[in-house]
Short mmCIF file of all heavy atoms in Angstrom, two decimals:
data_model
loop_
_atom_site.label_atom_id
_atom_site.label_comp_id
_atom_site.label_asym_id
_atom_site.label_seq_id
_atom_site.Cartn_x
_atom_site.Cartn_y
_atom_site.Cartn_z
N MET A 1 -33.55 39.66 5.83
CA MET A 1 -34.21 40.30 4.71
C MET A 1 -33.69 41.73 4.49
O MET A 1 -33.84 42.25 3.42
CB MET A 1 -35.72 40.34 4.94
CG MET A 1 -36.38 38.99 5.06
SD MET A 1 -36.54 38.17 3.50
CE MET A 1 -38.09 38.79 2.96
N ILE A 2 -33.11 42.32 5.53
CA ILE A 2 -32.63 43.69 5.41
C ILE A 2 -31.35 43.75 4.58
O ILE A 2 -31.18 44.64 3.75
CB ILE A 2 -32.40 44.32 6.80
CG1 ILE A 2 -33.70 44.44 7.55
CG2 ILE A 2 -31.69 45.65 6.72
CD1 ILE A 2 -34.65 45.46 6.98
N ILE A 3 -30.46 42.81 4.79
CA ILE A 3 -29.17 42.82 4.09
C ILE A 3 -29.33 42.72 2.58
O ILE A 3 -28.72 43.51 1.84
CB ILE A 3 -28.23 41.74 4.66
CG1 ILE A 3 -27.87 42.11 6.10
CG2 ILE A 3 -26.98 41.60 3.81
CD1 ILE A 3 -27.08 41.06 6.82
N PRO A 4 -30.14 41.79 2.04
CA PRO A 4 -30.33 41.78 0.58
C PRO A 4 -30.95 43.07 0.05
O PRO A 4 -30.59 43.53 -1.04
CB PRO A 4 -31.26 40.59 0.35
CG PRO A 4 -31.07 39.72 1.51
CD PRO A 4 -30.77 40.63 2.66
N ALA A 5 -31.86 43.68 0.82
CA ALA A 5 -32.46 44.93 0.37
C ALA A 5 -31.44 46.05 0.32
O ALA A 5 -31.41 46.84 -0.64
CB ALA A 5 -33.62 45.30 1.29
N VAL A 6 -30.57 46.12 1.31
CA VAL A 6 -29.54 47.17 1.34
C VAL A 6 -28.53 46.95 0.21
O VAL A 6 -28.15 47.91 -0.48
CB VAL A 6 -28.84 47.20 2.72
CG1 VAL A 6 -27.62 48.09 2.69
CG2 VAL A 6 -29.82 47.65 3.79
N ILE A 7 -28.14 45.72 0.01
CA ILE A 7 -27.19 45.42 -1.07
C ILE A 7 -27.82 45.73 -2.43
O ILE A 7 -27.16 46.28 -3.32
CB ILE A 7 -26.72 43.96 -0.99
CG1 ILE A 7 -25.83 43.79 0.24
CG2 ILE A 7 -25.98 43.53 -2.25
CD1 ILE A 7 -25.43 42.37 0.53
N SER A 8 -29.09 45.42 -2.59
CA SER A 8 -29.79 45.72 -3.83
C SER A 8 -29.83 47.23 -4.09
O SER A 8 -29.62 47.68 -5.22
CB SER A 8 -31.21 45.15 -3.77
OG SER A 8 -31.95 45.54 -4.88
N CYS A 9 -30.08 48.01 -3.07
CA CYS A 9 -30.10 49.47 -3.21
C CYS A 9 -28.72 50.02 -3.55
O CYS A 9 -28.59 50.92 -4.37
CB CYS A 9 -30.63 50.12 -1.94
SG CYS A 9 -32.37 49.83 -1.65
N ILE A 10 -27.70 49.47 -2.92
CA ILE A 10 -26.33 49.91 -3.19
C ILE A 10 -25.94 49.58 -4.63
O ILE A 10 -25.33 50.40 -5.33
CB ILE A 10 -25.35 49.29 -2.18
CG1 ILE A 10 -25.58 49.90 -0.79
CG2 ILE A 10 -23.90 49.47 -2.61
CD1 ILE A 10 -24.84 49.20 0.32
N VAL A 11 -26.29 48.40 -5.09
CA VAL A 11 -26.01 48.01 -6.48
C VAL A 11 -26.72 48.94 -7.45
O VAL A 11 -26.13 49.39 -8.44
CB VAL A 11 -26.40 46.53 -6.71
CG1 VAL A 11 -26.41 46.20 -8.19
CG2 VAL A 11 -25.47 45.60 -5.97
N ALA A 12 -27.97 49.25 -7.18
CA ALA A 12 -28.71 50.15 -8.06
C ALA A 12 -28.10 51.54 -8.08
O ALA A 12 -27.95 52.14 -9.15
CB ALA A 12 -30.17 50.22 -7.60
N PHE A 13 -27.72 52.05 -6.91
CA PHE A 13 -27.14 53.39 -6.84
C PHE A 13 -25.85 53.47 -7.65
O PHE A 13 -25.67 54.38 -8.46
CB PHE A 13 -26.87 53.78 -5.39
CG PHE A 13 -26.09 55.06 -5.26
CD1 PHE A 13 -26.72 56.27 -5.45
CD2 PHE A 13 -24.74 55.03 -4.98
CE1 PHE A 13 -26.00 57.45 -5.34
CE2 PHE A 13 -24.02 56.20 -4.86
CZ PHE A 13 -24.64 57.42 -5.04
N PHE A 14 -24.95 52.52 -7.42
CA PHE A 14 -23.66 52.59 -8.11
C PHE A 14 -23.79 52.29 -9.60
O PHE A 14 -23.01 52.81 -10.40
CB PHE A 14 -22.63 51.69 -7.43
CG PHE A 14 -22.07 52.31 -6.19
CD1 PHE A 14 -22.37 51.80 -4.94
CD2 PHE A 14 -21.25 53.41 -6.26
CE1 PHE A 14 -21.86 52.37 -3.80
CE2 PHE A 14 -20.73 54.00 -5.11
CZ PHE A 14 -21.04 53.48 -3.88
N THR A 15 -24.75 51.49 -9.99
CA THR A 15 -24.97 51.27 -11.41
C THR A 15 -25.39 52.56 -12.10
O THR A 15 -24.84 52.92 -13.14
CB THR A 15 -26.04 50.19 -11.63
OG1 THR A 15 -25.62 48.98 -11.01
CG2 THR A 15 -26.28 49.94 -13.10
N VAL A 16 -26.33 53.28 -11.52
CA VAL A 16 -26.77 54.55 -12.10
C VAL A 16 -25.65 55.57 -12.02
O VAL A 16 -25.40 56.31 -12.98
CB VAL A 16 -28.04 55.06 -11.39
CG1 VAL A 16 -28.40 56.45 -11.85
CG2 VAL A 16 -29.20 54.11 -11.64
N TYR A 17 -24.95 55.61 -10.89
CA TYR A 17 -23.88 56.58 -10.69
C TYR A 17 -22.73 56.39 -11.68
O TYR A 17 -22.14 57.35 -12.15
CB TYR A 17 -23.37 56.48 -9.25
CG TYR A 17 -22.38 57.54 -8.86
CD1 TYR A 17 -22.78 58.83 -8.60
CD2 TYR A 17 -21.03 57.24 -8.76
CE1 TYR A 17 -21.88 59.81 -8.23
CE2 TYR A 17 -20.11 58.20 -8.38
CZ TYR A 17 -20.54 59.49 -8.13
OH TYR A 17 -19.64 60.45 -7.77
N LEU A 18 -22.43 55.14 -12.01
CA LEU A 18 -21.31 54.87 -12.91
C LEU A 18 -21.70 54.90 -14.38
O LEU A 18 -20.85 55.19 -15.24
CB LEU A 18 -20.69 53.51 -12.57
CG LEU A 18 -20.01 53.44 -11.19
CD1 LEU A 18 -19.56 52.01 -10.90
CD2 LEU A 18 -18.85 54.40 -11.11
N THR A 19 -22.94 54.61 -14.72
CA THR A 19 -23.33 54.60 -16.14
C THR A 19 -23.77 55.98 -16.64
O THR A 19 -23.73 56.22 -17.84
CB THR A 19 -24.47 53.60 -16.39
OG1 THR A 19 -25.59 53.93 -15.58
CG2 THR A 19 -24.02 52.18 -16.14
N THR A 20 -24.18 56.87 -15.74
CA THR A 20 -24.68 58.18 -16.18
C THR A 20 -23.63 59.01 -16.91
O THR A 20 -23.94 59.58 -17.96
CB THR A 20 -25.26 58.95 -14.98
OG1 THR A 20 -26.33 58.18 -14.43
CG2 THR A 20 -25.79 60.30 -15.40
N PRO A 21 -22.37 59.12 -16.44
CA PRO A 21 -21.40 59.91 -17.21
C PRO A 21 -21.15 59.37 -18.62
O PRO A 21 -21.02 60.15 -19.57
CB PRO A 21 -20.12 59.83 -16.37
CG PRO A 21 -20.58 59.51 -15.00
CD PRO A 21 -21.81 58.69 -15.16
N TYR A 22 -21.13 58.06 -18.78
CA TYR A 22 -20.94 57.48 -20.11
C TYR A 22 -22.15 57.74 -20.99
O TYR A 22 -22.02 58.00 -22.19
CB TYR A 22 -20.66 55.98 -20.01
CG TYR A 22 -19.39 55.67 -19.27
CD1 TYR A 22 -19.41 55.07 -18.02
CD2 TYR A 22 -18.16 56.00 -19.81
CE1 TYR A 22 -18.24 54.79 -17.34
CE2 TYR A 22 -16.98 55.73 -19.14
CZ TYR A 22 -17.03 55.12 -17.90
OH TYR A 22 -15.87 54.86 -17.23
N LEU A 23 -23.34 57.69 -20.40
CA LEU A 23 -24.55 57.98 -21.16
C LEU A 23 -24.57 59.45 -21.59
O LEU A 23 -24.96 59.75 -22.72
CB LEU A 23 -25.79 57.64 -20.33
CG LEU A 23 -27.13 57.88 -21.00
CD1 LEU A 23 -27.31 56.94 -22.18
CD2 LEU A 23 -28.26 57.70 -20.01
N ILE A 24 -24.15 60.34 -20.73
CA ILE A 24 -24.11 61.77 -21.07
C ILE A 24 -23.15 62.02 -22.23
O ILE A 24 -23.48 62.71 -23.19
CB ILE A 24 -23.73 62.61 -19.84
CG1 ILE A 24 -24.86 62.61 -18.83
CG2 ILE A 24 -23.37 64.04 -20.24
CD1 ILE A 24 -24.50 63.25 -17.50
N LYS A 25 -21.96 61.42 -22.16
CA LYS A 25 -20.99 61.59 -23.25
C LYS A 25 -21.52 61.02 -24.56
O LYS A 25 -21.38 61.64 -25.62
CB LYS A 25 -19.67 60.92 -22.90
CG LYS A 25 -18.91 61.63 -21.82
CD LYS A 25 -17.65 60.88 -21.45
CE LYS A 25 -16.98 61.51 -20.26
NZ LYS A 25 -15.82 60.76 -19.79
N PHE A 26 -22.16 59.86 -24.49
CA PHE A 26 -22.72 59.22 -25.69
C PHE A 26 -23.82 60.08 -26.30
O PHE A 26 -23.86 60.29 -27.52
CB PHE A 26 -23.25 57.82 -25.34
CG PHE A 26 -23.95 57.14 -26.46
CD1 PHE A 26 -23.22 56.57 -27.50
CD2 PHE A 26 -25.33 57.07 -26.49
CE1 PHE A 26 -23.87 55.94 -28.55
CE2 PHE A 26 -25.97 56.43 -27.53
CZ PHE A 26 -25.25 55.87 -28.56
N LEU A 27 -24.70 60.61 -25.46
CA LEU A 27 -25.81 61.41 -25.97
C LEU A 27 -25.34 62.77 -26.48
O LEU A 27 -25.93 63.32 -27.41
CB LEU A 27 -26.87 61.58 -24.89
CG LEU A 27 -27.62 60.30 -24.51
CD1 LEU A 27 -28.54 60.55 -23.33
CD2 LEU A 27 -28.39 59.74 -25.68
N GLN A 28 -24.28 63.33 -25.90
CA GLN A 28 -23.74 64.58 -26.42
C GLN A 28 -23.12 64.38 -27.79
O GLN A 28 -23.22 65.25 -28.66
CB GLN A 28 -22.71 65.16 -25.45
CG GLN A 28 -23.33 65.82 -24.26
CD GLN A 28 -22.31 66.33 -23.26
OE1 GLN A 28 -21.15 65.90 -23.27
NE2 GLN A 28 -22.73 67.23 -22.39
N LYS A 29 -22.49 63.24 -28.02
CA LYS A 29 -21.92 62.96 -29.34
C LYS A 29 -23.02 62.80 -30.38
O LYS A 29 -22.81 63.10 -31.55
CB LYS A 29 -21.08 61.69 -29.29
CG LYS A 29 -19.77 61.87 -28.58
CD LYS A 29 -18.98 60.58 -28.57
CE LYS A 29 -17.70 60.73 -27.78
NZ LYS A 29 -16.95 59.47 -27.69
N ARG A 30 -24.19 62.34 -29.96
CA ARG A 30 -25.33 62.17 -30.86
C ARG A 30 -26.18 63.44 -31.00
O ARG A 30 -27.22 63.42 -31.63
CB ARG A 30 -26.23 61.04 -30.37
CG ARG A 30 -25.57 59.72 -30.24
CD ARG A 30 -25.58 59.01 -31.53
NE ARG A 30 -24.94 57.70 -31.36
CZ ARG A 30 -24.72 56.89 -32.32
NH1 ARG A 30 -25.10 57.20 -33.53
NH2 ARG A 30 -24.13 55.75 -32.11
N ASN A 31 -25.72 64.54 -30.39
CA ASN A 31 -26.42 65.83 -30.42
C ASN A 31 -27.84 65.73 -29.88
O ASN A 31 -28.78 66.26 -30.46
CB ASN A 31 -26.43 66.42 -31.83
CG ASN A 31 -25.05 66.81 -32.29
OD1 ASN A 31 -24.23 67.23 -31.48
ND2 ASN A 31 -24.78 66.66 -33.57
N LEU A 32 -27.99 65.07 -28.75
CA LEU A 32 -29.30 64.96 -28.11
C LEU A 32 -29.38 65.86 -26.88
O LEU A 32 -30.11 65.57 -25.93
CB LEU A 32 -29.59 63.51 -27.73
CG LEU A 32 -29.82 62.58 -28.92
CD1 LEU A 32 -29.94 61.15 -28.46
CD2 LEU A 32 -31.06 62.99 -29.69
N ALA A 33 -28.65 66.96 -26.90
CA ALA A 33 -28.68 67.92 -25.80
C ALA A 33 -29.65 69.04 -26.14
O ALA A 33 -29.73 69.51 -27.28
CB ALA A 33 -27.30 68.48 -25.54
N VAL A 34 -30.42 69.46 -25.15
CA VAL A 34 -31.39 70.54 -25.32
C VAL A 34 -31.15 71.57 -24.21
O VAL A 34 -30.63 71.25 -23.15
CB VAL A 34 -32.84 70.01 -25.25
CG1 VAL A 34 -33.12 69.07 -26.40
CG2 VAL A 34 -33.13 69.32 -23.94
N PRO A 35 -31.56 72.83 -24.43
CA PRO A 35 -31.38 73.83 -23.38
C PRO A 35 -32.30 73.56 -22.19
O PRO A 35 -33.44 73.14 -22.36
CB PRO A 35 -31.73 75.16 -24.06
CG PRO A 35 -32.25 74.84 -25.39
CD PRO A 35 -32.04 73.40 -25.67
N ASP A 36 -31.80 73.81 -21.00
CA ASP A 36 -32.58 73.64 -19.78
C ASP A 36 -33.49 74.86 -19.64
O ASP A 36 -33.02 75.97 -19.47
CB ASP A 36 -31.66 73.51 -18.58
CG ASP A 36 -32.39 73.11 -17.31
OD1 ASP A 36 -33.63 73.05 -17.34
OD2 ASP A 36 -31.72 72.87 -16.29
N VAL A 37 -34.79 74.65 -19.71
CA VAL A 37 -35.73 75.77 -19.68
C VAL A 37 -35.90 76.35 -18.29
O VAL A 37 -36.48 77.42 -18.13
CB VAL A 37 -37.11 75.35 -20.25
CG1 VAL A 37 -36.99 74.99 -21.71
CG2 VAL A 37 -37.71 74.23 -19.45
N ASN A 38 -35.43 75.68 -17.26
CA ASN A 38 -35.57 76.16 -15.90
C ASN A 38 -34.40 77.02 -15.44
O ASN A 38 -34.42 77.50 -14.30
CB ASN A 38 -35.73 74.97 -14.94
CG ASN A 38 -36.99 74.19 -15.24
OD1 ASN A 38 -38.04 74.78 -15.47
ND2 ASN A 38 -36.89 72.88 -15.25
N LYS A 39 -33.41 77.23 -16.27
CA LYS A 39 -32.23 78.04 -15.92
C LYS A 39 -32.20 79.30 -16.77
O LYS A 39 -32.64 79.30 -17.92
CB LYS A 39 -30.94 77.24 -16.15
CG LYS A 39 -30.88 75.92 -15.45
CD LYS A 39 -30.64 76.08 -13.98
CE LYS A 39 -30.48 74.70 -13.38
NZ LYS A 39 -30.60 74.65 -11.98
N LYS A 40 -31.64 80.37 -16.21
CA LYS A 40 -31.51 81.61 -16.98
C LYS A 40 -30.42 81.48 -18.03
O LYS A 40 -30.55 81.99 -19.14
CB LYS A 40 -31.20 82.78 -16.04
CG LYS A 40 -32.37 83.20 -15.21
CD LYS A 40 -32.03 84.42 -14.40
CE LYS A 40 -33.24 84.82 -13.57
NZ LYS A 40 -32.98 86.02 -12.77
N ASP A 41 -29.32 80.82 -17.66
CA ASP A 41 -28.25 80.58 -18.62
C ASP A 41 -28.68 79.50 -19.60
O ASP A 41 -29.58 78.71 -19.33
CB ASP A 41 -26.97 80.16 -17.90
CG ASP A 41 -26.48 81.23 -16.94
OD1 ASP A 41 -26.74 82.42 -17.20
OD2 ASP A 41 -25.86 80.85 -15.93
N ARG A 42 -28.03 79.45 -20.71
CA ARG A 42 -28.36 78.44 -21.73
C ARG A 42 -27.60 77.16 -21.45
O ARG A 42 -26.77 76.72 -22.25
CB ARG A 42 -28.06 78.96 -23.12
CG ARG A 42 -28.80 80.23 -23.48
CD ARG A 42 -30.28 80.03 -23.52
NE ARG A 42 -30.66 79.50 -24.82
CZ ARG A 42 -31.88 79.11 -25.12
NH1 ARG A 42 -32.82 79.19 -24.23
NH2 ARG A 42 -32.15 78.64 -26.30
N ILE A 43 -27.86 76.53 -20.33
CA ILE A 43 -27.20 75.27 -19.96
C ILE A 43 -27.83 74.15 -20.76
O ILE A 43 -29.06 74.04 -20.84
CB ILE A 43 -27.33 75.02 -18.45
CG1 ILE A 43 -26.63 76.12 -17.66
CG2 ILE A 43 -26.78 73.65 -18.09
CD1 ILE A 43 -26.85 76.04 -16.18
N MET A 44 -27.00 73.33 -21.35
CA MET A 44 -27.49 72.22 -22.15
C MET A 44 -27.55 70.95 -21.30
O MET A 44 -26.62 70.65 -20.56
CB MET A 44 -26.58 72.00 -23.36
CG MET A 44 -26.47 73.21 -24.28
SD MET A 44 -28.03 73.65 -25.04
CE MET A 44 -28.12 72.43 -26.32
N VAL A 45 -28.64 70.24 -21.40
CA VAL A 45 -28.80 68.95 -20.73
C VAL A 45 -29.15 67.92 -21.79
O VAL A 45 -29.78 68.23 -22.80
CB VAL A 45 -29.89 68.99 -19.63
CG1 VAL A 45 -29.48 69.89 -18.50
CG2 VAL A 45 -31.22 69.44 -20.19
N VAL A 46 -28.72 66.70 -21.56
CA VAL A 46 -29.00 65.65 -22.53
C VAL A 46 -30.30 64.96 -22.15
O VAL A 46 -30.71 64.92 -21.00
CB VAL A 46 -27.85 64.62 -22.63
CG1 VAL A 46 -26.61 65.27 -23.17
CG2 VAL A 46 -27.59 63.97 -21.31
N ARG A 47 -30.95 64.41 -23.12
CA ARG A 47 -32.14 63.61 -22.90
C ARG A 47 -32.05 62.40 -23.80
O ARG A 47 -31.47 62.50 -24.89
CB ARG A 47 -33.40 64.40 -23.18
CG ARG A 47 -33.40 65.00 -24.56
CD ARG A 47 -34.68 65.62 -24.95
NE ARG A 47 -34.59 65.67 -26.41
CZ ARG A 47 -35.57 65.62 -27.21
NH1 ARG A 47 -36.76 65.56 -26.76
NH2 ARG A 47 -35.40 65.64 -28.49
N PRO A 48 -32.50 61.30 -23.51
CA PRO A 48 -33.18 60.84 -22.30
C PRO A 48 -32.18 60.26 -21.30
O PRO A 48 -31.15 59.72 -21.67
CB PRO A 48 -34.10 59.75 -22.81
CG PRO A 48 -33.34 59.14 -23.94
CD PRO A 48 -32.57 60.29 -24.57
N GLY A 49 -32.49 60.35 -20.04
CA GLY A 49 -31.64 59.79 -18.99
C GLY A 49 -32.14 58.45 -18.50
O GLY A 49 -31.55 57.85 -17.61
N GLY A 50 -33.23 57.99 -19.06
CA GLY A 50 -33.86 56.76 -18.61
C GLY A 50 -33.03 55.49 -18.73
O GLY A 50 -33.16 54.60 -17.89
N PRO A 51 -32.20 55.34 -19.76
CA PRO A 51 -31.44 54.09 -19.87
C PRO A 51 -30.56 53.78 -18.66
O PRO A 51 -30.45 52.62 -18.27
CB PRO A 51 -30.60 54.28 -21.13
CG PRO A 51 -31.43 55.18 -21.97
CD PRO A 51 -32.08 56.13 -21.01
N SER A 52 -29.96 54.80 -18.04
CA SER A 52 -29.14 54.50 -16.87
C SER A 52 -30.02 54.13 -15.68
O SER A 52 -29.64 53.29 -14.85
CB SER A 52 -28.23 55.67 -16.52
OG SER A 52 -28.97 56.77 -16.06
N ILE A 53 -31.20 54.70 -15.57
CA ILE A 53 -32.12 54.35 -14.50
C ILE A 53 -32.64 52.92 -14.69
O ILE A 53 -32.72 52.15 -13.74
CB ILE A 53 -33.28 55.35 -14.41
CG1 ILE A 53 -32.73 56.72 -14.01
CG2 ILE A 53 -34.35 54.89 -13.44
CD1 ILE A 53 -33.73 57.83 -14.09
N ILE A 54 -32.95 52.57 -15.92
CA ILE A 54 -33.41 51.21 -16.21
C ILE A 54 -32.29 50.21 -15.92
O ILE A 54 -32.54 49.12 -15.39
CB ILE A 54 -33.91 51.11 -17.66
CG1 ILE A 54 -35.21 51.91 -17.80
CG2 ILE A 54 -34.13 49.66 -18.08
CD1 ILE A 54 -35.70 52.05 -19.21
N ALA A 55 -31.06 50.57 -16.25
CA ALA A 55 -29.93 49.68 -15.94
C ALA A 55 -29.80 49.49 -14.43
O ALA A 55 -29.51 48.38 -13.97
CB ALA A 55 -28.64 50.26 -16.51
N GLY A 56 -30.03 50.54 -13.66
CA GLY A 56 -29.98 50.42 -12.20
C GLY A 56 -31.07 49.52 -11.66
O GLY A 56 -30.85 48.72 -10.75
N ILE A 57 -32.27 49.62 -12.23
CA ILE A 57 -33.37 48.76 -11.79
C ILE A 57 -33.08 47.31 -12.11
O ILE A 57 -33.28 46.42 -11.28
CB ILE A 57 -34.69 49.22 -12.44
CG1 ILE A 57 -35.10 50.58 -11.89
CG2 ILE A 57 -35.80 48.20 -12.22
CD1 ILE A 57 -36.25 51.23 -12.62
N ILE A 58 -32.58 47.05 -13.31
CA ILE A 58 -32.28 45.67 -13.70
C ILE A 58 -31.15 45.10 -12.85
O ILE A 58 -31.21 43.94 -12.42
CB ILE A 58 -31.96 45.60 -15.21
CG1 ILE A 58 -33.24 45.87 -16.01
CG2 ILE A 58 -31.37 44.25 -15.59
CD1 ILE A 58 -33.02 45.99 -17.49
N ALA A 59 -30.12 45.89 -12.58
CA ALA A 59 -29.02 45.43 -11.74
C ALA A 59 -29.51 45.13 -10.33
O ALA A 59 -29.09 44.14 -9.72
CB ALA A 59 -27.91 46.46 -11.72
N SER A 60 -30.39 45.96 -9.83
CA SER A 60 -30.95 45.74 -8.50
C SER A 60 -31.76 44.45 -8.45
O SER A 60 -31.66 43.66 -7.50
CB SER A 60 -31.83 46.93 -8.11
OG SER A 60 -32.53 46.67 -6.94
N GLU A 61 -32.56 44.23 -9.46
CA GLU A 61 -33.36 43.01 -9.51
C GLU A 61 -32.48 41.77 -9.66
O GLU A 61 -32.78 40.72 -9.08
CB GLU A 61 -34.37 43.08 -10.65
CG GLU A 61 -35.41 44.15 -10.48
CD GLU A 61 -36.31 43.91 -9.28
OE1 GLU A 61 -36.60 42.75 -8.96
OE2 GLU A 61 -36.72 44.91 -8.66
N LEU A 62 -31.42 41.87 -10.42
CA LEU A 62 -30.50 40.73 -10.55
C LEU A 62 -29.80 40.44 -9.23
O LEU A 62 -29.57 39.27 -8.89
CB LEU A 62 -29.48 40.99 -11.66
CG LEU A 62 -30.03 40.94 -13.08
CD1 LEU A 62 -28.96 41.37 -14.07
CD2 LEU A 62 -30.56 39.56 -13.42
N ALA A 63 -29.48 41.48 -8.47
CA ALA A 63 -28.88 41.27 -7.15
C ALA A 63 -29.88 40.57 -6.22
O ALA A 63 -29.51 39.67 -5.46
CB ALA A 63 -28.43 42.59 -6.56
N LEU A 64 -31.14 40.98 -6.28
CA LEU A 64 -32.16 40.32 -5.47
C LEU A 64 -32.35 38.87 -5.90
O LEU A 64 -32.54 37.99 -5.06
CB LEU A 64 -33.50 41.06 -5.58
CG LEU A 64 -33.66 42.29 -4.72
CD1 LEU A 64 -35.01 42.94 -5.00
CD2 LEU A 64 -33.54 41.95 -3.26
N TYR A 65 -32.30 38.64 -7.21
CA TYR A 65 -32.44 37.26 -7.70
C TYR A 65 -31.27 36.40 -7.22
O TYR A 65 -31.43 35.21 -6.98
CB TYR A 65 -32.54 37.23 -9.22
CG TYR A 65 -32.80 35.85 -9.77
CD1 TYR A 65 -34.05 35.27 -9.62
CD2 TYR A 65 -31.81 35.13 -10.41
CE1 TYR A 65 -34.30 34.00 -10.09
CE2 TYR A 65 -32.05 33.87 -10.90
CZ TYR A 65 -33.30 33.30 -10.74
OH TYR A 65 -33.54 32.04 -11.22
N GLY A 66 -30.10 37.00 -7.09
CA GLY A 66 -28.95 36.26 -6.57
C GLY A 66 -29.17 35.79 -5.14
O GLY A 66 -28.66 34.75 -4.74
N PHE A 67 -29.95 36.53 -4.38
CA PHE A 67 -30.23 36.14 -2.99
C PHE A 67 -31.41 35.18 -2.87
O PHE A 67 -31.36 34.21 -2.13
CB PHE A 67 -30.51 37.37 -2.12
CG PHE A 67 -29.28 38.14 -1.76
CD1 PHE A 67 -28.99 39.34 -2.37
CD2 PHE A 67 -28.40 37.65 -0.80
CE1 PHE A 67 -27.86 40.06 -2.04
CE2 PHE A 67 -27.27 38.36 -0.46
CZ PHE A 67 -27.00 39.56 -1.08
N PHE A 68 -32.50 35.46 -3.58
CA PHE A 68 -33.73 34.73 -3.33
C PHE A 68 -34.08 33.70 -4.39
O PHE A 68 -34.77 32.73 -4.12
CB PHE A 68 -34.90 35.70 -3.16
CG PHE A 68 -34.74 36.58 -1.97
CD1 PHE A 68 -34.59 37.94 -2.12
CD2 PHE A 68 -34.71 36.05 -0.70
CE1 PHE A 68 -34.44 38.77 -1.02
CE2 PHE A 68 -34.56 36.86 0.41
CZ PHE A 68 -34.42 38.22 0.24
N GLN A 69 -33.70 33.89 -5.62
CA GLN A 69 -33.92 32.96 -6.74
C GLN A 69 -35.36 32.47 -6.82
O GLN A 69 -35.64 31.28 -6.83
CB GLN A 69 -32.95 31.78 -6.64
CG GLN A 69 -31.52 32.23 -6.76
CD GLN A 69 -30.53 31.13 -6.60
OE1 GLN A 69 -30.88 30.00 -6.33
NE2 GLN A 69 -29.26 31.44 -6.78
N ILE A 70 -36.28 33.43 -6.89
CA ILE A 70 -37.68 33.10 -7.10
C ILE A 70 -38.11 33.66 -8.45
O ILE A 70 -37.56 34.65 -8.95
CB ILE A 70 -38.57 33.64 -5.96
CG1 ILE A 70 -38.36 35.13 -5.75
CG2 ILE A 70 -38.31 32.88 -4.67
CD1 ILE A 70 -39.24 35.75 -4.68
N ASN A 71 -39.08 33.02 -9.04
CA ASN A 71 -39.50 33.37 -10.39
C ASN A 71 -40.15 34.74 -10.49
O ASN A 71 -40.17 35.34 -11.55
CB ASN A 71 -40.45 32.31 -10.94
CG ASN A 71 -39.73 31.00 -11.16
OD1 ASN A 71 -38.53 30.97 -11.39
ND2 ASN A 71 -40.46 29.90 -11.08
N GLU A 72 -40.71 35.24 -9.40
CA GLU A 72 -41.36 36.54 -9.44
C GLU A 72 -40.36 37.66 -9.75
O GLU A 72 -40.71 38.64 -10.40
CB GLU A 72 -42.07 36.82 -8.11
CG GLU A 72 -43.33 36.01 -7.89
CD GLU A 72 -43.07 34.62 -7.34
OE1 GLU A 72 -41.90 34.27 -7.10
OE2 GLU A 72 -44.06 33.88 -7.15
N ILE A 73 -39.14 37.50 -9.30
CA ILE A 73 -38.12 38.51 -9.59
C ILE A 73 -37.79 38.51 -11.07
O ILE A 73 -37.64 39.57 -11.68
CB ILE A 73 -36.87 38.27 -8.71
CG1 ILE A 73 -37.23 38.49 -7.25
CG2 ILE A 73 -35.74 39.21 -9.13
CD1 ILE A 73 -36.13 38.14 -6.29
N LEU A 74 -37.71 37.35 -11.67
CA LEU A 74 -37.47 37.27 -13.11
C LEU A 74 -38.64 37.87 -13.89
O LEU A 74 -38.45 38.51 -14.93
CB LEU A 74 -37.24 35.83 -13.55
CG LEU A 74 -35.94 35.19 -13.07
CD1 LEU A 74 -35.88 33.75 -13.52
CD2 LEU A 74 -34.75 35.96 -13.59
N ALA A 75 -39.85 37.67 -13.38
CA ALA A 75 -41.03 38.25 -14.04
C ALA A 75 -40.98 39.77 -14.01
O ALA A 75 -41.36 40.43 -14.98
CB ALA A 75 -42.31 37.75 -13.38
N ILE A 76 -40.50 40.34 -12.92
CA ILE A 76 -40.37 41.80 -12.83
C ILE A 76 -39.32 42.30 -13.81
O ILE A 76 -39.51 43.32 -14.47
CB ILE A 76 -40.02 42.23 -11.40
CG1 ILE A 76 -41.20 41.95 -10.47
CG2 ILE A 76 -39.64 43.69 -11.33
CD1 ILE A 76 -40.89 42.14 -9.01
N ILE A 77 -38.23 41.57 -13.95
CA ILE A 77 -37.17 41.98 -14.89
C ILE A 77 -37.69 41.95 -16.33
O ILE A 77 -37.43 42.86 -17.11
CB ILE A 77 -35.92 41.10 -14.73
CG1 ILE A 77 -35.29 41.33 -13.37
CG2 ILE A 77 -34.91 41.37 -15.83
CD1 ILE A 77 -34.16 40.37 -13.06
N ILE A 78 -38.42 40.92 -16.64
CA ILE A 78 -38.94 40.78 -18.01
C ILE A 78 -39.99 41.84 -18.27
O ILE A 78 -40.04 42.48 -19.29
CB ILE A 78 -39.50 39.38 -18.25
CG1 ILE A 78 -38.37 38.38 -18.23
CG2 ILE A 78 -40.26 39.29 -19.56
CD1 ILE A 78 -38.79 36.94 -18.23
#
């Protein structure tokens, strides 16, 4: 049970890690960057970052479904 959990975490991490730069570029082209209010400099950050996190969750659940193939995992994805 440990190996599927570790693989699922690794899949989720790399999915978020690889999709975030593309999401940032896409959102910057759409002018969805706002100033970071927690910094003294006017650093611009894009919003929303949720789509890459959701992609990581779905990829993780699909990896788990590949190991266990139970309907509860599909219910979580839906």
